[in-house]
Amino acid sequence: MARDARGGRPAGHRPRVQLAALVVAGVFLLIGVLGFIPGITTDYGELRFGGHHSEALLLGLFQVSILHNAVHLLFGLVGLVMARTVAGARVFLAAGGAIYLALWLYGLVIEAVNPDGGANILPVNDADNWLHLALGFGMLALGLLLSNEAGTGGRLDNPAKRH
């Protein structure tokens, strides 16, 4: 059976948690890039570096800024790097899910306390908040429920199986 370039597991086989992390990271990279494309981002002329004054809307729905787009790009790059190992993929998905749940809470607090205040450095609107909630639960579920060995509840990274 063919092996990967480092002589590890068979070529072409990647645990589901790593595939999920790669897909999620790819989506973050795509969203980060799309946030800089006029037309896909409406009111592109209103795109600001950060803060709640950026009126640009990705897909006409999600409020974005240069900082917001850069965070998506960075998050995607980190995900690609972390998806190289099963443990890294799990951490990316689970910790990323927790981060997005925290962003959801941040958005709720900002809206409740003072939506026009200086604390709103990442522009968020209702659509962003709902998306952050879905992303948070989705990533957390993927990171915690996908096993490196389907149905076994195996360890994150089994050194005995490394070559």
Side-chain angles (χ1 to χ4, degrees):
M1 180 175 268
R3 299 270 177 191
D4 71 4
R6 292 173 289 177
R9 68 180 169 270
H13 174 72
R14 194 175 293 250
R16 292 179 299 165
V17 69
Q18 284 180 284
L19 289 174
L22 285 170
V23 168
V24 170
V27 168
F28 277 110
L29 288 171
L30 178 65
I31 295 302
V33 169
L34 292 177
F36 289 113
I37 299 175
I40 295 174
T41 299
T42 59
D43 298 324
Y44 188 80
E46 299 300 316
L47 186 68
R48 302 290 178 258
F49 177 77
H52 62 282
H53 296 296
S54 183
E55 296 297 324
L57 298 173
L58 179 62
L59 304 173
L61 192 59
F62 303 103
Q63 192 174 7
V64 293
S65 67
I66 294 169
L67 180 61
H68 203 148
N69 293 334
V71 167
H72 287 140
L73 290 169
L74 180 63
F75 208 73
L77 290 173
V78 167
L80 289 180
V81 170
M82 292 185 77
R84 295 176 63 200
T85 66
V86 170
R90 279 204 168 161
V91 168
F92 169 69
L93 291 168
I99 289 168
Y100 271 88
L101 288 175
L103 279 173
W104 170 67
L105 289 173
Y106 163 82
L108 292 180
V109 168
I110 290 297
E111 283 184 11
V113 175
N114 186 3
D116 294 325
N120 193 0
I121 59 169
L122 284 178
V124 291
N125 59 14
D126 285 334
D128 286 305
N129 287 337
W130 288 108
L131 181 62
H132 291 159
L133 177 64
L135 275 171
F137 279 124
M139 289 177 70
L140 199 55
L142 288 170
L144 296 176
L145 299 178
L146 287 180
S147 175
N148 59 326
E149 296 175 358
T152 66
R155 292 175 42 162
L156 291 178
D157 198 5
N158 189 344
K161 291 188 177 182
R162 286 191 239 148
H163 291 102

